[in-house]
Each structure stands twice: as C-alpha cells, then as structure tokens.
Amino acid sequence: MGRAGSPIHIEGPDGDRPFDATELERDLRAMWKAASSKGGTIYRAALANLITPLSACDSDCFTPILTEITRRHPARLFCVQRSDSPPDDHGLRAHVNAVCHIRPGGAGLVCSEQIAIAWDDASGPLVPSAVASLLVGDLSTVLLELEQGPIPAWREKLARLADARIADSGLAHDPAEYPAIWKRRPGRSDRPLHDLAWARLAPWREILAEAFDPPEFAGALASIQDVTIFYQGSGPPAGAWLLAGWLASRLDWKPRELAGGQIRLGAKTRPVSMRFEAEGANGGTDSAGSARRAIAGIRIRAGAPAPLDLSVSHEGRSETARIVTRAPRASERDVAFGYREFAACVVGEMHRHEPNRAFEDAARVAEELIGLWPKG
Amino acid sequence: MSADADTAASKPELKPDASETVAANPLRQGSVTLGVADPCTFVVFGASGDLTRRKLLPALLALSREKLLHPKSAVLGFARQPMRDEAFRDELRDSAGERDIPDSEWMPFAASVFYRSGKYENAGDYAALASFLKSLERERGTPGNRIFYLATPPDVYPAILEGLRAEGLVHGADLGTPWSHVIVEKPYGHDLESARALTAMVHGAFDERQVYRIDHYLGKETVQNIQVLRLANGIFEPLWNNRYVDHVQIAVAEADGIGTRAGYYEKAGALRDMLQNHMLQLLTLTAMEPPSRFEANAIRDEKVKVLRALTPLSRGQSAERTVRAQYAAGAVAGKPAPGYREEEGVSPKSTTETYIAARLEVDNWRWAGVPFYLRSGKRLPKRATEIAITFHQPPYSLFRSAGCAPIEANVLRLRIQPDEGISLSFGSKSPGQALHIDPVRMDFNYLTSFGADPPEAYERLLLDCNLGDSTLFARKDEVELAWEHVDAIAKLWASGEGPPLGSYPAGSWGPAEADGLLTRDGRRWLRL
C-alpha cells in the first residue's frame, strides 16, 4: 500500500473540555457534519478501537506512528495522556479531532477519529470508565502500550476493556522487565498479548525456518550444539531473548545453568550452549526514536552426524539478510528480509485475533533464560 | 392464559385498518400518507413532571412543526402545581432546547397550549377541568376528540380515571367521532394481580380499544424496522430461525443511576422496571412469526404467541438461568458514581436488583434450541440498547489451514439507542498479499443514510394514538402474559430459589455471574 501524502487534521468544534461522554459524541457528530459540508467525500472509517496511553515525553515521537497506524488500519483512537498542567478541578479533560489521509487514488479522505483524554493523579482512575463509555461496541478493542516508565495501577482496568493488548518489550531497557510485559493480558484470558519485539522477529524466524527446510540441513536440528546471537546496543535486547526462547521452545531445549558466560540447555541428544555477543556498531535509532537495540545476527553450529555451521546477519533497515554457511559446505547468499516499520508491526499484530501460542512458548523459555543471566 | 373476551382482538378497530381503507376507497390506492390526524385535545395529567417536560411537550411541538397535528388541536396540562398558561409555555420552550424556533412556528403552537392546576383527589377540580376543556373545544372548533395522557405516578390513576368517568369526559368506544383515547405510562402494575386490577380500573372508564399502553421503546425507529428488515427484504427472513441463528442477545444498558426515582425503583428493581416491558417487548418483536397483515391486532396476536411460547423457569433453573445484582461504587463515563445503597432515598440494606440477566427460551418450531440472553442494568459503562442476532459459525474452518484464526461469528445488530441503525459483522480478507481475515461490518445508520435523525419515539407514539393506530402499544393480554413470566421469576427469587444478589462496580458491564450465564454455554456477551 503506497503512501498517500501527508495527513490532514480535522479539529473538533469545542477544543479541550471537561470529559463528558455525551458532549464528546455530540462534538464528533458536529465535526463530521461540518467537515462533510465543506464538500468532497469523507470516509469516516474504523476497523477497531485503539487505546494508546502515552506519557507526555512519548507523545511527540509516537504521534507520527499513530497517524501511520490509522492510515493502515483506520480506528477510533483514544490517546490517553497525563496532563502537563492538571486542571484545577482535577477532572478528566478531553477533545476530539480526526486524522485523515487522501484515499489512494485521490478520491476523498479516509478519516479516523481521535479522542484525546488528559488525566492527572486524581482523575487517572476514572480513565477506564471514560474510555468504556466511548468505545464503538461492535469493533474489536486494542490496547497499545508504548510508553515507558511506571504504569499506573488503573491500567489493568483499562486492559480489561481490550480484546488484545500490544506492548513492546523492546522499549524496556532492563531484561528483568521483559517477563512482566510478556505476562500482560487483556480482559479475557483467551485473548492475546502481542509483543512488537516478537513481531520484529518474524523475518528472523522465517529465514531460520527456511534455512532448515532442505533435507540435508533439517537433520542438523537434532544435533545443534551451539547458538550465538549477536546484538547491537548495551545488552541483549528483548528480541534476542525471544529468539533464543523460540529456538529452545521449538526444539525442546530446557534451560539448565549459566557457565562461562553461556547458558547451557538440555536437549534430547546433547547439551546446547547459547551465547549473546555484542557487536561493535551502534544501531542508531528506530522509527519510534529509541536507540536501536537490535539483533544483528545469529550463528548456529551443529555436530555429527549432521554437521552445520550457519550464520545469518542483518543490518539496520536493510531489506536483505546475508546467510553464510561454512558447513556442510561453504556458501554465501542474500535473502529477502521482511523488515517492517514500527506502524506496520503494530498493524500486523492488530490482525491477530487469537493468542499467539508460539510467542507464549518462546516468552516462557526466554523468562527462564533471563533468570539464569547475571543481573545488570 | 386464554385471551379475554374484551381484548381488542375480538372487536373491530375504532378505525378501519389501512388495507380495508384502501379496498373500500380506490382513491386511497397508491397513497402512502400517514392519514390525517383528527383535531383533538391532548389532556396531560402530570403536566408539571419530568416526563411531560422532557418528552411529551417537545414531541407535540415537533409534530406541530412538522404539520402532523391538526391545526385546531390543543394541549391542556393538568397537575397539582399552580402555574399560568404563559409559565407552562415558557417551560415548554425551554425544554424544547431550541430557543431559535421561528416565531412563525412557535406562536401557533404556544397559542394552543394551556394549563390548569388541581388536586387529583378533588372531584371539584375535575368539574373545573371539564368545564374548561369543553369551552376550549368550542372555542377551537374541535369535535371533542380527546387523548388523556396519564403521566403521573400510578397511585393517582384511580382518582384521575374516576374523575374522568364522573365528569362524563370519556366518549363511548362505538361512537366513532368524537373519540376518546387514554395513554397509560409504564409501570403498568407491579405484578400480574395489580396489572389486572389496573386494567379493571381503566376499563371502568374506557373500553380496551381506547387504551394505549405505552412502551416508548416500541416507538423507536429501529424497533419498527425489525419487521421491515425481516419481511420487506428477501435475505433475512430465511435466516431468521434455529437453522442459522445460534443465539440472540437483547441488552438495555443505562449509564444513569436511579436519579430521583428511588421510591419507585426500590419496589420495582430491574426485573419489573425493564424485563417486564421493554425487554420482553423487544424479544417478542424479534421472535414473532410474520403477521397475516400489517395491522395492529394481527401483529399483537403474533407477539402474544411468543409470550405463550416462552418456557417458564423451573425451580432448579431460576438460579442457573437468571442473575441479579446491585451496583457498588465505581466510576461511569469518567465520573465517580456512588453505590446503589448510597443513593438518595435508597435503604442502606436494600436488596433491590439494579441489574438482571436471564437466559430464556422460546419453545416453538422456529426457535427451539436458540437461547435468548437478556440483560439490563443501571450504571453500566454507557447507555445502549440493542438486539444482536448471532449466527452459527460455518461448518468447516477452511482458512485455518492457511494460518487464519477462526473469526467471530456473524452478528446482526439492531441498534435501538443511541445511533439507531443496523450493522452486520462478517470476516473479510484484509487488503494485501498475506491472508489475514479481519472482522468488518456493514453499517446502516439513520443519520448518514437518510440525512436525518429518526423522530423521537414519543412523536411517533403520540401521533399513532391521534390516528387511532394501536400497533405500537401493548395490549392487555401482552401485558398480563409478560407479568406472568416476571411474577414467576420474582416468586422464585423471593422463595430463596433464585440466584444470590450479586454486586458489580458502577461502570462495569455487570457481575461475573452474568458472564457465567453465557460462558457455560460457550458464548459471551457482545460488547455494546
């Protein structure tokens, strides 16, 4: 889907006001009526309710991402943000607007309505009820958690409104925080948590799975002895742990101990060693503005009877990855790497309506691996 | 229960129905007019009350502005509170919320609005009312047609009905013109016995054919559209049965608490306040067979059949198939809300339910095996009423092999308020190379399709009463059958056979027990 120009914003009629669900719905109707009366075709589109709590410092960098998300997947967007200047009456405040994109092909605008809700310490616990009063009932509801820092206690009530919860463990800096993120759940236990760090692993998992498709390589899966995951940044990112957890959960390896800077895992046929190694280059920043802490490569070695030495490496936003094989025979080739921008990852997860068992299994093992890793 | 001999079904209508009119008068063929409203006087008892101010007078004003009332018609308010005509008119203009009504539309209507005060128990005040009414009719040149609207608490109905009877203000049902109709607001009794007693009392002054028991939900455009959707389109009626429908959910959610109605609500609770009338009416309209003619009694006959087919809950089933709960403190729509027992006028030990959910079954050929889940509560996250028909899942999940999770079942939602409309959800392939199936909806909204909001329910109902069309009003046997079912549940609850009184925080979607009602069946409540 090609880009269709810069977004166009339509402002609601009354600007910021004390939260009143009835008045806000009225504002929305008035906004659409006014916009329609100016001529041209406006499509008021929504495929989901999307709730995004943001801290003030996050909002600047995430606003373009949210705009792009609504371009790809129109939604009624709830931006829930701590107020910079708490109102005197300590109530919630809100305003409505819409972000529109020129329809691909140029005929008309496709618009997503946005409801921005500002809270302070006193009114924060009222946020879930405020959001609940404005959800579009027959659309799925997604809670997108991108902010960093402490999460208020009432967030779980907000999560109970959601059919799916999307977080990004990649935004946390301490591996000890990852498992708590992976255990977040929306309101119903049969509904999914999606982790964008997992979503970004998709091309890695695809390439690795494909590498073992040929029969001569498939046999090596049972004789893998050593896995090294290379990363950029100050420590193994969440994605590296999930990649390790994914391999271990798929191949039935059990984390045992940390020895000599590597984690030993028990497998059916032989022990497996797993290492994380930093690469020198700084990864720059990602599209969410964070310093990139990314997976740079992976090397997998297997012994007899099916020896294998396979490396996959990828840089930045490159659309290809390099696969280098040293055993059973030497080869090098570039393969397509399905790198996706941040908004595309979010939208990809919004399409998933069921729990992701592969992710859950990977996260469970990753947590065990983190538990063995030295703190700090 | 057998239909009583005096139900309207056994007597001719006051006015011939539309098909008869067309057959008798070739000039009517092809006509789609509503008919011409006779000139009449709307006599509103309880004229200083909330209902009159918020709903009735604005509805009459709207009908007048749309030229749907006869220009000679008048409104005569009656209540205890002393007030002059001018003050009553000012109140009306305020409550209409449209100070910018053009004088050309406001002045003729205002000139037709009058007010008289009096005590409901005082026979002399009815004599004064009668005298004024007759002089008003003479002055305006109306033939004496009257609609009496009982917008008072039910405890004053006996005095009003006796006053009307004693003063000879009610014309006989068989006279044709002038005619008299009475509109009775809900609650229509508080159990079967009291409903029958009320009917006997009303029948002391009016024939059943003159009685219009109002349930304003029936005036909602979407409710009327249920029949149109099913029976004017080729695609829905064939699906409207247990072969295709998995279950039906009927929800009436209110964000408000009880306001100033604690005295009434403490005695009624959600069971009597909502289930007996609005919810069972919606159920009957959804489940009824196509009527033989689009005519009041043919439609009401079919609704009655549904009520007769409702399976009564047995002792063991009451605890399993009904849920009752009361709201505790919480937050609704961004504002803190007190618990029910902390509301003004409510006993701190009250056991009145503010939430009810029930699993009912319509035991007939069409609906056997299709549960109807009903829920209604106060202080829920938002105000929303809808009927949702969930269809069966396809027999085979073809796309699972392509990595697609099974999508939600198709749901046809009839939104009754707010945003009256209809939507159908289904799975669709998302644009792109990958095979993703996302739930999408086809949405019909009155405002966007017709460019106008549907009229307020009271407008339609008041006009129908003026036109003598009782299709959207409940008949005696409907009301009594509904009470039979509600009484049975109330008795089981009172005997200790029912579910314990649960609790839910204000602003939530109800107690966990209500979720259990569906999860036991492998289903869940749809979000409103």
Side-chain angles (χ1 to χ4, degrees), chain A residues 9-20 23-25 27-28 31 76-81 92-98 113-118 134:
Chain A
H9 292 272
I10 299 174
E11 286 303 318
D14 281 331
D16 191 46
R17 62 155 76 231
F19 184 91
D20 182 306
E23 290 297 319
L24 287 166
E25 289 281 16
D27 282 355
L28 285 167
M31 179 179 76
R76 178 177 271 199
L77 180 62
F78 296 83
C79 288
V80 178
Q81 192 172 334
L92 297 176
R93 298 189 70 81
H95 70 270
V96 302
N97 59 26
E113 54 200 17
Q114 303 191 33
I115 300 164
I117 300 173
L134 291 168

Side-chain angles (χ1 to χ4, degrees), chain A residues 23-368:
Chain A
E23 290 297 319
L24 287 166
E25 289 281 16
R26 201 168 290 153
D27 282 355
L28 285 167
R29 281 197 293 275
M31 179 179 76
W32 291 120
K33 199 171 177 181
S36 304
S37 67
K38 289 176 184 166
T41 306
I42 290 183
Y43 299 93
R44 180 185 181 183
L47 282 165
N49 298 292
L50 180 60
I51 310 168
T52 54
L54 296 171
S55 60
C57 58
D58 291 331
S59 67
D60 285 348
C61 64
F62 283 120
T63 298
I65 292 174
L66 294 174
T67 302
E68 177 62 11
I69 290 170
T70 56
R71 186 184 71 78
R72 292 167 174 267
H73 199 80
R76 178 177 271 199
L77 180 62
F78 296 83
C79 288
V80 178
Q81 192 172 334
R82 176 186 274 278
S83 174
D84 286 335
S85 49
D88 294 337
D89 60 1
H90 293 280
L92 297 176
R93 298 189 70 81
H95 70 270
V96 302
N97 59 26
V99 59
C100 307
H101 297 88
I102 295 171
R103 190 176 164 217
L109 295 175
V110 181
C111 301
S112 290
E113 54 200 17
Q114 303 191 33
I115 300 164
I117 300 173
W119 56 276
D120 56 22
D121 286 339
S123 61
L126 300 173
V127 167
S129 71
V131 172
S133 67
L134 291 168
L135 291 175
V136 182
D138 50 357
L139 297 180
S140 65
T141 298
V142 176
L143 175 62
L144 176 62
E145 297 174 298
L146 300 177
E147 85 278 41
Q148 299 174 54
I151 287 178
W154 47 263
R155 175 66 61 77
E156 283 308 311
K157 280 192 178 171
L158 198 57
R160 274 182 229 146
L161 303 174
D163 297 305
R165 196 167 176 174
I166 300 176
D168 188 355
S169 58
L171 295 174
H173 292 288
D174 182 353
E177 295 175 36
Y178 303 155
I181 294 171
W182 296 331
K183 284 176 181 158
R184 290 179 191 171
R185 286 289 176 274
R188 288 170 48 200
S189 58
D190 62 340
R191 292 292 169 156
L193 167 81
H194 301 304
D195 184 358
L196 297 175
W198 171 261
R200 285 189 288 269
L201 283 185
W204 289 101
R205 292 185 289 118
E206 183 62 31
I207 287 170
L208 288 172
E210 198 172 298
F212 287 95
D213 277 342
E216 58 180 315
F217 285 15
L221 285 172
S223 57
I224 291 175
Q225 296 173 314
D226 183 82
V227 176
T228 306
I229 296 174
F230 302 94
Y231 61 87
Q232 294 168 333
S234 56
W241 292 105
L242 286 170
L243 184 60
W246 172 67
L247 283 169
S249 62
R250 293 301 95 194
L251 298 173
D252 203 19
W253 302 340
K254 310 289 184 204
R256 297 277 189 248
E257 59 179 348
L258 180 75
Q262 55 190 357
I263 296 172
R264 293 195 186 283
L265 301 99
K268 279 180 186 164
T269 52
R270 67 192 68 200
V272 178
S273 298
M274 192 169 277
R275 271 191 293 267
F276 297 94
E277 284 188 14
E279 281 210 336
N282 187 309
T285 58
D286 60 23
S287 55
S290 300
R292 182 180 297 283
R293 298 167 69 232
I295 299 170
I298 183 168
R299 184 173 185 185
I300 297 174
R301 285 182 290 188
L308 174 78
D309 186 347
L310 170 84
S311 294
V312 183
S313 58
H314 175 257
E315 273 188 33
R317 297 178 184 182
S318 169
E319 291 178 358
T320 57
R322 167 145 293 212
I323 299 180
V324 177
T325 311
R326 297 178 191 84
R329 50 189 157 71
S331 72
E332 279 190 38
R333 62 192 168 108
D334 288 334
V335 294
F337 185 94
Y339 177 83
R340 290 185 298 170
E341 294 288 351
F342 198 94
C345 286
V346 172
V347 173
E349 297 311 291
M350 288 176 77
H351 286 303
R352 292 178 179 272
H353 305 291
E354 281 212 328
N356 187 334
R357 301 299 176 206
F359 160 67
E360 289 174 5
D361 291 344
R364 196 165 40 247
V365 180
E367 182 179 358
E368 291 180 53

